[in-house]
Structures are given as C-alpha cells and as structure tokens.
C-alpha cells in the first residue's frame, strides 16, 4: 500500500471511496457507467474511487497510489495523460471540436487509420465499440438480405445492442423474436461452424468474432473461417476492440494475415479518448454512402463521431505505436509480468490455483479453488490482497507506461497475496479473508 503508512489487509480501508460509492449509486444506476467498473467487481467496501492518474499509476480519493492494470478496460494502453496524445487533442480543442460540416481532421484521421490497417479500404468513426459492431451487423444484413447473426459463443461481449445482449444472462427488455435471430458457434471449431451455416442455409448474414483472445487461434482456423464465409455467402467480421494494436498495429488480422470483410476497432485506438472505427471492403462500406446504385444503408450517423480532438488523439496514438514500437514493448512487459506471477504462485504452492492466461499484451488471471474450479471467493481474497499492496488489477493487462520497477513491485505483492491464498486453501475456506461478500460476475440475472 503506497501511502505514508503501511497497513495489513484487515486495516486497509477506503472511507472516502466508500462514501463516494454511495453517492454514485444514488445518482447513477449501478454506481458506474460501465458494469465492469461497478463496485460489485471489487471486495466489499474496497472499491477505490479514482482521483487522477498519470502513466501506469492512479490515485484514489483516499490518497492511496496504485500500480494499475487493465487501465480504462484496456483502452489506456500508453498510460494515463500521455503527453503526445494529450497535446494532439488539446490543439484541436483550441480550434473547435465539432462543426456542421466535415473537417480536414476527418480526412487525415481516415488516411492514417487506413495506412495503419491496410486490410481496410474505407473507414467510419464513432464513439464506442457497440456502435461500430452493430453497424457491421446491420451492413452485413443489408448486403446479404439475410436475418441471422452468428456470434462466437465462447467470447464475452460484442455490443450493448439487442442482437447481442439478448443472448446474455441479462436479456430483460429484449423481445425473444430479436434474440432468436442470433445464433452462436464455438471458437476454433470449423466443423461446428460449417454445420451451423448448413443448418441455417442462406439465413446467416455474418460470422462475428474476436479473431484471437486468451488462446491463440488454432493453425488454419481464421483462414478456414474466411473460406467458410466465402463459400456460404456471408460476411466475416473481426471484432478487434481488444486485439487491435495489442496484437499488432493492424490488429490480429495484421498478425495472422487473414483479411475480414469488416472489422471494428476501439479501446486502444484513442488511449482513453472516445473513438472507435468500422473498417472494411469498399464494396460493402460504400453501401452506407452516396455513390452506389443500391438501397442506402443507415450505416453510422453520430453527432460526436467526428469530434476533432478524439480523432487527433487517435492519430497520435497510431504514430506513437509505430514510431516507438509499443506493441513489442507491451509484449515484453507482459512476458516479464507473467513469468514473475507464475513464479510467485509456484513458490508459494498455489501455481495450480492462481493461473495467468492470454497473450503477453493481454493477460488475465484465473483464481481456482481447492478443486480447480473458478472461484469468486478466491478472486475476492486475491483482489483484496492486491489492493492492500497498492496494485489495482482486475486483470494483468499491461500499459506501455509500466516499467521494470512497477513489474517487480507487482510480483512482490502477488507473492504476498499467494501466501494468504495458500493459507485459505489449507483451511479449506477463504471466508475469513474476504472481509464481506464475494465479488460478482458482470453478467447475471439477479442483483
């Protein structure tokens, strides 16, 4: 715990954050604007409310400083208040942020994006990932004339819109008729996907998936999906919200060499500024424009989609990634962290219970009980110990602002947390170390 005084877990308290969380709940449903940021995702009464951040560190309103991971739900990959990104945004703010006609910044941002993601031929910007993934689905339905959407059922999130949320454990308010039009296929299984396409022959408009996640795509898998989409006449959509920039500047498609028809980017694209992108083949994208003979598609039309400061930030992010080799740095930092965490877990006898997974630039951790099953109780224990040690880590997703000292300190805190984890396993009950109710899954039917 990086305050003037140290404290063990039992003494670690956040009185100002606790009061602020109550204030947030009184004003905002759920107490946060993103469910994954909710205080139910953290040990009871230990959900820090943030004052400010710089680089890889954030400070809460109680005065504690933390090494932060998963910054901005993976969006702040260069670190908070990055000077190059902030300066680019500041220049445009001083020139005006939004106009009644396009600005040259829109053309420049489009040119920069298409140079960074050369597999796309046209691009349209928006403010969040849900807007562009839903636009991709709408476009696919329009060009194919088909009603159904096939999502990868092993992946957690695609959009806040009805076509996806209706398939989750939180479908309240969504008509069954809408949900029935979304079907799913398993990641890595071409045979099952082909069976789905055959079962709904000429009904599936698109296959949409994250091209890579916590496991690498099996050899030939993405190319096989490309072939299936072509053969069955549907659109292949890559959701690169997470893999964009973290796998390569051009996303997973740039790393694995498989070209989708459409792809969506966000998160790291703006380093915390609100910007997302839908890119794709000209023949498809132009259907949302003015220069084609077909029925026009309402592709994307957002008041704030072309805010100049966010587009300027995105251009600065892309330049920084390319010029400074950020993707390689993320992998180097992640590899060091993963090795350290695995070593700490192994040395304290919990190597089979605290498990690091994923690509080095996008690490997550699993907390398993004495039977090897995922456990919210043990996750609570682990998060509580990390917080007390000054590490805010809903995941171990790195930013390039971290340095070796940060990584080493994190590993030390993880080792201390694992020692407590071992005690709980030996006792057969983590309850004495929870300090209250366990953390909860984001998607659940009941409060």
């Amino acid at each position: 715990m990086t305050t003037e005084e140290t404290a063990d877990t039992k003494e670690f308290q956040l009185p100002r954050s606790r009061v602020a969380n109550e204030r947030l709940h009184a004003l905002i449903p759920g107490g946060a604007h993103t469910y994954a940021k909710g205080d139910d995702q953290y040990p009871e009464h230990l959900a820090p409310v943030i004052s400010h951040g710089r680089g890889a560190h954030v400070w809460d309103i109680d005065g504690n400083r933390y090494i932060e991971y998963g910054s901005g739900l993976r969006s702040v990959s260069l670190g908070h208040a990055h000077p190059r990104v902030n300066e680019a945004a500041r220049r445009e703010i001083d020139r005006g942020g939004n106009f009644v006609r396009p600005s040259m910044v829109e053309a420049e941002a489009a040119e920069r994006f298409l140079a960074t993601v050369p597999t796309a031929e046209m691009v349209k910007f928006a403010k969040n990932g849900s807007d562009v993934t839903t636009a991709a689905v709408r476009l696919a339905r329009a060009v194919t004339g088909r009603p159904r959407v096939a999502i990868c059922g092993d992946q957690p999130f695609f959009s806040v819109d009805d076509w996806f949320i209706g398939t989750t454990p939180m479908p309240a308010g969504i008509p069954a008729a809408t949900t029935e039009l979304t079907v799913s296929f398993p990641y890595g299984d071409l045979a099952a996907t082909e069976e789905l396409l055959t079962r709904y022959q000429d009904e599936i408009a698109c296959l949409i998936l994250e091209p890579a996640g916590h496991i690498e795509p099996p050899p030939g898998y993405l190319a096989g999906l490309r072939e299936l989409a072509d053969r069955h006449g549907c659109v292949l959509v890559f959701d690169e919200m997470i893999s964009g920039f973290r796998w390569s500047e051009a996303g997973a498609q740039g790393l694995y060499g498989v070209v989708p028809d459409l792809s969506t980017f966000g998160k790291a694209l703006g380093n915390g500024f609100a910007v997302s992108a839908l890119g794709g083949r000209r023949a498809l994208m132009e259907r949302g424009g003015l220069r084609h003979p077909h029925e026009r598609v309402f592709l994307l039309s957002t008041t704030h989609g072309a805010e100049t400061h966010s587009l300027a930030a995105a251009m600065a992010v892309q330049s920084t990634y390319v010029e400074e080799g950020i993707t390689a740095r993320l992998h180097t930092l992640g590899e060091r962290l993963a090795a350290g965490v695995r070593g700490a877990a192994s040395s304290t006898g919990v190597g089979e219970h605290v498990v690091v997974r994923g690509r080095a630039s996008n690490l997550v951790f699993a907390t398993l009980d004495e039977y090897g099953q995922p456990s919210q109780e043990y996750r609570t224990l682990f998060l509580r110990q990390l917080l007390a040690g000054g590490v805010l880590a809903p995941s171990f997703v790195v930013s390039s602002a971290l340095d070796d000292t940060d990584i080493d300190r994190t590993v030390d805190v993880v080792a201390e947390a694992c020692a407590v984890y071992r005690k709980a396993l030996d006792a057969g009950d983590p309850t004495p170390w929870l300090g209250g109710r366990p953390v909860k899954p984001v998607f659940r039917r009941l409060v």
Side-chain angles (χ1 to χ4, degrees), residues 170-293:
M170 295 174 67
I174 299 172
T178 298
T179 303
E180 289 166 1
L181 292 177
T182 301
V183 295
S184 67
F185 59 92
Y187 188 80
D189 191 334
L190 290 173
T193 306
E194 182 162 26
E195 190 279 327
L196 184 74
L197 290 166
T198 301
R199 187 193 325 158
Y200 295 106
Q201 188 69 42
D202 298 329
E203 293 184 43
I204 293 178
C206 64
L207 302 172
I208 182 168
L209 74 157
E210 296 179 36
H214 300 324
I215 61 171
E216 288 290 293
Y221 173 61
L222 296 178
L225 282 180
R226 174 73 277 173
E227 190 276 329
L228 281 178
D230 290 340
R231 181 150 47 90
H232 287 268
C234 60
V235 175
L236 181 61
V237 183
F238 281 176
D239 178 340
E240 299 254 31
M241 290 296 150
I242 293 174
S243 52
F245 297 94
R246 287 191 177 274
W247 266 243
S248 78
E249 289 85 1
Q253 60 194 278
L255 181 65
Y256 302 120
V258 176
V259 181
D261 298 301
L262 301 170
S263 55
T264 60
F265 287 75
K267 292 193 183 289
L269 179 58
N271 199 53
F273 284 92
V275 59
S276 60
L278 169 64
R281 292 196 294 114
R282 182 177 299 276
L284 298 183
M285 295 288 290
E286 191 64 86
R287 294 284 287 270
L290 300 174
R291 299 182 176 182
H292 64 87

Side-chain angles (χ1 to χ4, degrees), residues 97-100 106 125-127 131 300-308:
N98 209 336
F99 311 108
V100 76
E106 294 174 54
F125 295 111
K127 302 309 287 183
D131 284 349
L300 276 167
S301 183
T302 57
T303 298
H304 301 292
E307 280 180 337
T308 58

Side-chain angles (χ1 to χ4, degrees), residues 101-184:
R101 280 281 294 149
S103 71
M104 280 306 297
V105 175
E106 294 174 54
E108 294 164 0
E111 289 169 348
R112 178 66 56 81
F113 180 86
L114 295 173
T116 304
V117 187
T119 46
E121 296 172 332
M122 297 187 83
V123 63
K124 200 154 189 181
F125 295 111
K127 302 309 287 183
N128 61 69
S130 292
D131 284 349
V132 290
T133 53
T134 291
V137 167
R138 185 184 305 117
L139 183 56
R141 282 172 161 163
V143 299
T144 63
R146 299 174 179 180
R148 295 189 186 274
V149 177
I151 64 172
C152 181
D154 301 320
Q155 295 170 343
F157 190 79
F158 292 102
S159 173
V160 300
D161 294 304
D162 288 3
W163 64 270
F164 173 70
I165 292 298
T167 69
T168 73
M170 295 174 67
I174 299 172
T178 298
T179 303
E180 289 166 1
L181 292 177
T182 301
V183 295
S184 67

Side-chain angles (χ1 to χ4, degrees), residues 6 26 59 66 84 131 143 164 189 200 210-211 225 235 252 294 308 325 345 348 357 372 381 388 399 404 408 414 447:
T6 59
W59 286 257
Y66 305 87
R84 183 171 182 178
D131 284 349
V143 299
F164 173 70
D189 191 334
Y200 295 106
E210 296 179 36
L225 282 180
V235 175
H294 307 283
T308 58
T348 52
R357 295 172 176 163
L381 177 155
S399 74
D404 289 349
D408 292 344
V414 167
V447 174

